[in-house]
């Protein structure tokens, strides 16, 4: 778990920056980039990252993946 409010804000800012500065067509490369940045900023042994795109298929509210390292 991210320990402080400031650390959470930094994580959110970094994810938004990654999303805005790259043209990801698939969730997997986007998730890998987020994990790479988090691992650089916070030492961890395990991570589980869930990502979803909203309303991209007509019969689904969202489509997502879970990355575990």
């Amino acid at each position: 778990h991210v320990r402080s409010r400031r650390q959470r804000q930094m994580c959110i800012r970094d994810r938004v920056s990654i999303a805005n500065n790259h043209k990801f067509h698939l969730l997997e490369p986007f998730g890998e980039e987020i994990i790479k940045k988090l691992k650089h900023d916070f030492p961890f042994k395990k991570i589980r990252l869930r990502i979803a795109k909203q309303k991209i298929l007509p019969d689904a509210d969202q489509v997502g993946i879970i990355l575990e390292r």
Side-chain angles (χ1 to χ4, degrees):
H1 295 284
V2 178
R3 293 179 204 97
S4 72
R5 181 177 179 179
R6 174 143 170 74
Q7 287 175 322
R8 285 192 299 275
Q9 290 171 334
M10 288 171 52
C11 286
I12 292 167
R13 183 195 70 224
D14 290 343
R15 285 179 288 193
V16 170
S17 175
I18 290 168
N20 289 336
N21 292 320
H22 295 86
K23 300 279 186 197
F24 293 104
H25 297 284
L26 299 173
L27 292 174
E28 290 84 353
F30 178 55
E32 292 295 342
E33 194 67 26
I34 290 173
I35 289 173
K36 180 178 160 185
K37 176 65 176 157
L38 288 171
K39 189 153 187 108
H40 177 266
D41 294 342
F42 307 101
F44 58 81
K45 293 180 182 178
K46 293 174 65 174
I47 188 168
R48 178 182 225 178
L49 178 67
R50 293 185 293 177
I51 306 172
K53 289 183 180 180
Q54 307 294 318
K55 307 286 185 187
I56 63 167
L57 297 175
D59 295 332
D61 290 332
Q62 64 180 9
V63 175
I65 63 166
I66 299 172
L67 298 173
E68 294 186 68
R69 302 288 178 266

mmCIF file of all heavy atoms in Angstrom, residues 3 5 8 13 16-17 19-23 25 27-28 30 32 36 38 40 44 46 49-51 57 59 65 68:
data_model
loop_
_atom_site.group_PDB
_atom_site.id
_atom_site.type_symbol
_atom_site.label_atom_id
_atom_site.label_comp_id
_atom_site.label_asym_id
_atom_site.label_seq_id
_atom_site.Cartn_x
_atom_site.Cartn_y
_atom_site.Cartn_z
ATOM 1 N N ARG A 3 1.938 4.646 1.232
ATOM 2 C CA ARG A 3 1.892 5.038 2.631
ATOM 3 C C ARG A 3 1.245 6.386 2.909
ATOM 4 O O ARG A 3 0.492 6.529 3.834
ATOM 5 C CB ARG A 3 3.301 5.032 3.198
ATOM 6 C CG ARG A 3 3.875 3.643 3.274
ATOM 7 C CD ARG A 3 5.300 3.673 3.828
ATOM 8 N NE ARG A 3 5.988 2.506 3.372
ATOM 9 C CZ ARG A 3 6.791 2.461 2.329
ATOM 10 N NH1 ARG A 3 7.042 3.518 1.632
ATOM 11 N NH2 ARG A 3 7.364 1.336 1.976
ATOM 12 N N ARG A 5 -0.523 10.348 1.803
ATOM 13 C CA ARG A 5 -1.366 11.048 0.840
ATOM 14 C C ARG A 5 -0.513 11.607 -0.296
ATOM 15 O O ARG A 5 -0.879 11.535 -1.459
ATOM 16 C CB ARG A 5 -2.126 12.164 1.548
ATOM 17 C CG ARG A 5 -3.037 12.911 0.643
ATOM 18 C CD ARG A 5 -3.811 13.960 1.396
ATOM 19 N NE ARG A 5 -4.651 14.653 0.465
ATOM 20 C CZ ARG A 5 -5.471 15.601 0.786
ATOM 21 N NH1 ARG A 5 -5.585 15.976 2.042
ATOM 22 N NH2 ARG A 5 -6.192 16.201 -0.124
ATOM 23 N N ARG A 8 0.351 8.881 -2.719
ATOM 24 C CA ARG A 8 -0.806 8.550 -3.551
ATOM 25 C C ARG A 8 -0.994 9.590 -4.646
ATOM 26 O O ARG A 8 -1.254 9.260 -5.800
ATOM 27 C CB ARG A 8 -2.073 8.435 -2.706
ATOM 28 C CG ARG A 8 -2.152 7.164 -1.894
ATOM 29 C CD ARG A 8 -3.523 6.950 -1.315
ATOM 30 N NE ARG A 8 -3.948 8.000 -0.421
ATOM 31 C CZ ARG A 8 -3.663 8.068 0.876
ATOM 32 N NH1 ARG A 8 -2.933 7.114 1.420
ATOM 33 N NH2 ARG A 8 -4.099 9.046 1.621
ATOM 34 N N ARG A 13 -0.616 11.283 -10.315
ATOM 35 C CA ARG A 13 -0.033 12.229 -11.275
ATOM 36 C C ARG A 13 0.808 11.482 -12.310
ATOM 37 O O ARG A 13 0.735 11.754 -13.506
ATOM 38 C CB ARG A 13 0.822 13.253 -10.542
ATOM 39 C CG ARG A 13 1.411 14.320 -11.473
ATOM 40 C CD ARG A 13 2.526 15.100 -10.831
ATOM 41 N NE ARG A 13 3.668 14.212 -10.684
ATOM 42 C CZ ARG A 13 4.427 14.129 -9.599
ATOM 43 N NH1 ARG A 13 4.198 14.901 -8.558
ATOM 44 N NH2 ARG A 13 5.446 13.307 -9.534
ATOM 45 N N VAL A 16 -1.412 9.566 -14.835
ATOM 46 C CA VAL A 16 -2.014 10.496 -15.787
ATOM 47 C C VAL A 16 -0.972 10.954 -16.796
ATOM 48 O O VAL A 16 -1.236 11.017 -17.996
ATOM 49 C CB VAL A 16 -2.660 11.697 -15.056
ATOM 50 C CG1 VAL A 16 -3.069 12.785 -16.023
ATOM 51 C CG2 VAL A 16 -3.858 11.229 -14.232
ATOM 52 N N SER A 17 0.233 11.238 -16.334
ATOM 53 C CA SER A 17 1.318 11.658 -17.222
ATOM 54 C C SER A 17 1.647 10.565 -18.232
ATOM 55 O O SER A 17 1.812 10.843 -19.427
ATOM 56 C CB SER A 17 2.559 12.010 -16.404
ATOM 57 O OG SER A 17 3.632 12.310 -17.251
ATOM 58 N N ALA A 19 -0.349 8.199 -19.301
ATOM 59 C CA ALA A 19 -1.483 8.085 -20.220
ATOM 60 C C ALA A 19 -1.504 9.224 -21.232
ATOM 61 O O ALA A 19 -1.783 9.006 -22.414
ATOM 62 C CB ALA A 19 -2.789 8.052 -19.436
ATOM 63 N N ASN A 20 -1.193 10.421 -20.793
ATOM 64 C CA ASN A 20 -1.253 11.587 -21.681
ATOM 65 C C ASN A 20 -0.084 11.680 -22.642
ATOM 66 O O ASN A 20 -0.203 12.279 -23.705
ATOM 67 C CB ASN A 20 -1.333 12.878 -20.865
ATOM 68 C CG ASN A 20 -2.672 13.045 -20.187
ATOM 69 O OD1 ASN A 20 -3.669 12.484 -20.620
ATOM 70 N ND2 ASN A 20 -2.690 13.819 -19.127
ATOM 71 N N ASN A 21 1.058 11.098 -22.291
ATOM 72 C CA ASN A 21 2.261 11.250 -23.100
ATOM 73 C C ASN A 21 2.557 10.064 -24.016
ATOM 74 O O ASN A 21 3.566 10.067 -24.702
ATOM 75 C CB ASN A 21 3.470 11.518 -22.196
ATOM 76 C CG ASN A 21 3.363 12.873 -21.524
ATOM 77 O OD1 ASN A 21 2.937 13.847 -22.138
ATOM 78 N ND2 ASN A 21 3.732 12.940 -20.260
ATOM 79 N N HIS A 22 1.709 9.066 -24.016
ATOM 80 C CA HIS A 22 1.920 7.899 -24.863
ATOM 81 C C HIS A 22 0.618 7.544 -25.571
ATOM 82 O O HIS A 22 -0.460 7.798 -25.062
ATOM 83 C CB HIS A 22 2.382 6.695 -24.034
ATOM 84 C CG HIS A 22 3.724 6.897 -23.411
ATOM 85 N ND1 HIS A 22 3.887 7.524 -22.210
ATOM 86 C CD2 HIS A 22 4.954 6.557 -23.837
ATOM 87 C CE1 HIS A 22 5.176 7.561 -21.912
ATOM 88 N NE2 HIS A 22 5.846 6.984 -22.878
ATOM 89 N N LYS A 23 0.741 6.953 -26.720
ATOM 90 C CA LYS A 23 -0.421 6.482 -27.482
ATOM 91 C C LYS A 23 -0.507 4.961 -27.340
ATOM 92 O O LYS A 23 0.009 4.222 -28.164
ATOM 93 C CB LYS A 23 -0.293 6.859 -28.955
ATOM 94 C CG LYS A 23 -0.200 8.331 -29.200
ATOM 95 C CD LYS A 23 -1.565 8.948 -29.167
ATOM 96 C CE LYS A 23 -1.450 10.411 -29.569
ATOM 97 N NZ LYS A 23 -2.568 11.178 -29.219
ATOM 98 N N HIS A 25 -2.414 1.535 -27.504
ATOM 99 C CA HIS A 25 -3.592 0.938 -28.121
ATOM 100 C C HIS A 25 -4.086 -0.259 -27.315
ATOM 101 O O HIS A 25 -5.245 -0.634 -27.417
ATOM 102 C CB HIS A 25 -3.289 0.512 -29.556
ATOM 103 C CG HIS A 25 -2.938 1.667 -30.426
ATOM 104 N ND1 HIS A 25 -3.872 2.559 -30.909
ATOM 105 C CD2 HIS A 25 -1.748 2.106 -30.892
ATOM 106 C CE1 HIS A 25 -3.273 3.487 -31.628
ATOM 107 N NE2 HIS A 25 -1.975 3.237 -31.635
ATOM 108 N N LEU A 27 -4.033 -2.318 -23.371
ATOM 109 C CA LEU A 27 -3.862 -2.088 -21.938
ATOM 110 C C LEU A 27 -2.553 -2.663 -21.406
ATOM 111 O O LEU A 27 -1.983 -2.118 -20.465
ATOM 112 C CB LEU A 27 -5.034 -2.698 -21.164
ATOM 113 C CG LEU A 27 -6.381 -2.021 -21.364
ATOM 114 C CD1 LEU A 27 -7.469 -2.822 -20.651
ATOM 115 C CD2 LEU A 27 -6.349 -0.599 -20.854
ATOM 116 N N GLU A 28 -2.081 -3.749 -21.991
ATOM 117 C CA GLU A 28 -0.883 -4.404 -21.474
ATOM 118 C C GLU A 28 0.343 -3.488 -21.467
ATOM 119 O O GLU A 28 1.005 -3.363 -20.430
ATOM 120 C CB GLU A 28 -0.597 -5.693 -22.242
ATOM 121 C CG GLU A 28 -1.577 -6.802 -21.972
ATOM 122 C CD GLU A 28 -2.848 -6.731 -22.813
ATOM 123 O OE1 GLU A 28 -3.051 -5.727 -23.537
ATOM 124 O OE2 GLU A 28 -3.634 -7.687 -22.747
ATOM 125 N N PHE A 30 0.444 -0.259 -21.506
ATOM 126 C CA PHE A 30 0.144 0.830 -20.577
ATOM 127 C C PHE A 30 0.383 0.361 -19.140
ATOM 128 O O PHE A 30 1.047 1.031 -18.346
ATOM 129 C CB PHE A 30 -1.302 1.289 -20.767
ATOM 130 C CG PHE A 30 -1.747 2.370 -19.832
ATOM 131 C CD1 PHE A 30 -1.054 3.564 -19.736
ATOM 132 C CD2 PHE A 30 -2.882 2.204 -19.070
ATOM 133 C CE1 PHE A 30 -1.484 4.573 -18.879
ATOM 134 C CE2 PHE A 30 -3.320 3.199 -18.219
ATOM 135 C CZ PHE A 30 -2.612 4.385 -18.118
ATOM 136 N N GLU A 32 2.284 -2.154 -18.131
ATOM 137 C CA GLU A 32 3.708 -2.410 -17.924
ATOM 138 C C GLU A 32 4.457 -1.112 -17.631
ATOM 139 O O GLU A 32 5.349 -1.074 -16.790
ATOM 140 C CB GLU A 32 4.322 -3.107 -19.141
ATOM 141 C CG GLU A 32 3.830 -4.520 -19.372
ATOM 142 C CD GLU A 32 4.215 -5.499 -18.278
ATOM 143 O OE1 GLU A 32 5.140 -5.220 -17.482
ATOM 144 O OE2 GLU A 32 3.594 -6.568 -18.230
ATOM 145 N N LYS A 36 6.454 -0.277 -14.224
ATOM 146 C CA LYS A 36 7.858 0.145 -14.294
ATOM 147 C C LYS A 36 8.080 1.418 -13.482
ATOM 148 O O LYS A 36 9.037 1.519 -12.708
ATOM 149 C CB LYS A 36 8.234 0.363 -15.757
ATOM 150 C CG LYS A 36 9.643 0.791 -15.998
ATOM 151 C CD LYS A 36 9.863 0.918 -17.512
ATOM 152 C CE LYS A 36 11.035 1.779 -17.828
ATOM 153 N NZ LYS A 36 11.171 1.995 -19.276
ATOM 154 N N LEU A 38 6.140 2.658 -11.022
ATOM 155 C CA LEU A 38 5.911 2.394 -9.601
ATOM 156 C C LEU A 38 7.100 1.678 -8.970
ATOM 157 O O LEU A 38 7.510 2.000 -7.863
ATOM 158 C CB LEU A 38 4.635 1.575 -9.403
ATOM 159 C CG LEU A 38 3.329 2.307 -9.642
ATOM 160 C CD1 LEU A 38 2.166 1.326 -9.627
ATOM 161 C CD2 LEU A 38 3.116 3.409 -8.624
ATOM 162 N N HIS A 40 10.164 1.838 -9.866
ATOM 163 C CA HIS A 40 11.251 2.809 -9.743
ATOM 164 C C HIS A 40 11.067 3.668 -8.491
ATOM 165 O O HIS A 40 12.022 3.969 -7.782
ATOM 166 C CB HIS A 40 11.306 3.687 -10.989
ATOM 167 C CG HIS A 40 12.345 4.755 -10.916
ATOM 168 N ND1 HIS A 40 12.066 6.028 -10.475
ATOM 169 C CD2 HIS A 40 13.668 4.737 -11.213
ATOM 170 C CE1 HIS A 40 13.171 6.751 -10.510
ATOM 171 N NE2 HIS A 40 14.156 5.999 -10.955
ATOM 172 N N PHE A 44 8.983 -2.780 -4.125
ATOM 173 C CA PHE A 44 7.957 -3.764 -3.782
ATOM 174 C C PHE A 44 8.375 -5.121 -4.325
ATOM 175 O O PHE A 44 9.150 -5.215 -5.274
ATOM 176 C CB PHE A 44 6.577 -3.357 -4.312
ATOM 177 C CG PHE A 44 6.498 -3.152 -5.797
ATOM 178 C CD1 PHE A 44 6.362 -4.234 -6.660
ATOM 179 C CD2 PHE A 44 6.547 -1.884 -6.340
ATOM 180 C CE1 PHE A 44 6.275 -4.045 -8.029
ATOM 181 C CE2 PHE A 44 6.459 -1.680 -7.711
ATOM 182 C CZ PHE A 44 6.327 -2.766 -8.556
ATOM 183 N N LYS A 46 5.796 -7.604 -4.789
ATOM 184 C CA LYS A 46 4.667 -8.057 -5.583
ATOM 185 C C LYS A 46 3.762 -6.871 -5.886
ATOM 186 O O LYS A 46 3.659 -5.947 -5.092
ATOM 187 C CB LYS A 46 3.871 -9.109 -4.815
ATOM 188 C CG LYS A 46 4.599 -10.409 -4.585
ATOM 189 C CD LYS A 46 3.828 -11.343 -3.699
ATOM 190 C CE LYS A 46 2.550 -11.782 -4.374
ATOM 191 N NZ LYS A 46 1.825 -12.808 -3.591
ATOM 192 N N LEU A 49 -2.012 -5.063 -10.563
ATOM 193 C CA LEU A 49 -2.532 -3.843 -11.180
ATOM 194 C C LEU A 49 -3.728 -4.208 -12.035
ATOM 195 O O LEU A 49 -3.637 -5.056 -12.918
ATOM 196 C CB LEU A 49 -1.432 -3.192 -12.039
ATOM 197 C CG LEU A 49 -1.813 -1.937 -12.783
ATOM 198 C CD1 LEU A 49 -2.083 -0.781 -11.815
ATOM 199 C CD2 LEU A 49 -0.721 -1.555 -13.779
ATOM 200 N N ARG A 50 -4.851 -3.561 -11.753
ATOM 201 C CA ARG A 50 -6.058 -3.760 -12.557
ATOM 202 C C ARG A 50 -6.311 -2.496 -13.373
ATOM 203 O O ARG A 50 -6.301 -1.396 -12.828
ATOM 204 C CB ARG A 50 -7.265 -4.040 -11.670
ATOM 205 C CG ARG A 50 -7.152 -5.368 -10.961
ATOM 206 C CD ARG A 50 -8.377 -5.694 -10.197
ATOM 207 N NE ARG A 50 -8.509 -4.744 -9.083
ATOM 208 C CZ ARG A 50 -9.510 -4.721 -8.250
ATOM 209 N NH1 ARG A 50 -10.506 -5.564 -8.369
ATOM 210 N NH2 ARG A 50 -9.541 -3.843 -7.272
ATOM 211 N N ILE A 51 -6.548 -2.682 -14.675
ATOM 212 C CA ILE A 51 -6.813 -1.569 -15.580
ATOM 213 C C ILE A 51 -8.015 -1.943 -16.443
ATOM 214 O O ILE A 51 -8.134 -3.086 -16.883
ATOM 215 C CB ILE A 51 -5.629 -1.294 -16.523
ATOM 216 C CG1 ILE A 51 -4.335 -1.093 -15.757
ATOM 217 C CG2 ILE A 51 -5.904 -0.089 -17.405
ATOM 218 C CD1 ILE A 51 -3.122 -1.013 -16.653
ATOM 219 N N LEU A 57 -16.699 -1.748 -26.075
ATOM 220 C CA LEU A 57 -17.458 -2.769 -26.791
ATOM 221 C C LEU A 57 -18.941 -2.533 -26.556
ATOM 222 O O LEU A 57 -19.344 -2.154 -25.449
ATOM 223 C CB LEU A 57 -17.066 -4.173 -26.316
ATOM 224 C CG LEU A 57 -15.618 -4.599 -26.566
ATOM 225 C CD1 LEU A 57 -15.345 -5.954 -25.933
ATOM 226 C CD2 LEU A 57 -15.337 -4.655 -28.062
ATOM 227 N N ASP A 59 -21.523 -4.425 -26.026
ATOM 228 C CA ASP A 59 -22.240 -5.234 -25.032
ATOM 229 C C ASP A 59 -21.532 -5.343 -23.686
ATOM 230 O O ASP A 59 -21.906 -6.167 -22.859
ATOM 231 C CB ASP A 59 -22.472 -6.648 -25.588
ATOM 232 C CG ASP A 59 -23.392 -6.643 -26.795
ATOM 233 O OD1 ASP A 59 -24.240 -5.736 -26.889
ATOM 234 O OD2 ASP A 59 -23.246 -7.529 -27.652
ATOM 235 N N ILE A 65 -7.825 -5.826 -17.716
ATOM 236 C CA ILE A 65 -6.797 -6.833 -17.459
ATOM 237 C C ILE A 65 -6.305 -6.683 -16.032
ATOM 238 O O ILE A 65 -6.480 -5.645 -15.400
ATOM 239 C CB ILE A 65 -5.603 -6.699 -18.430
ATOM 240 C CG1 ILE A 65 -4.897 -5.340 -18.239
ATOM 241 C CG2 ILE A 65 -6.014 -6.923 -19.862
ATOM 242 C CD1 ILE A 65 -3.540 -5.265 -18.892
ATOM 243 N N GLU A 68 0.017 -9.124 -12.727
ATOM 244 C CA GLU A 68 0.636 -9.468 -11.440
ATOM 245 C C GLU A 68 2.124 -9.729 -11.662
ATOM 246 O O GLU A 68 2.498 -10.437 -12.584
ATOM 247 C CB GLU A 68 -0.023 -10.698 -10.833
ATOM 248 C CG GLU A 68 -1.461 -10.449 -10.435
ATOM 249 C CD GLU A 68 -2.070 -11.619 -9.705
ATOM 250 O OE1 GLU A 68 -1.636 -11.894 -8.578
ATOM 251 O OE2 GLU A 68 -2.969 -12.254 -10.272
#
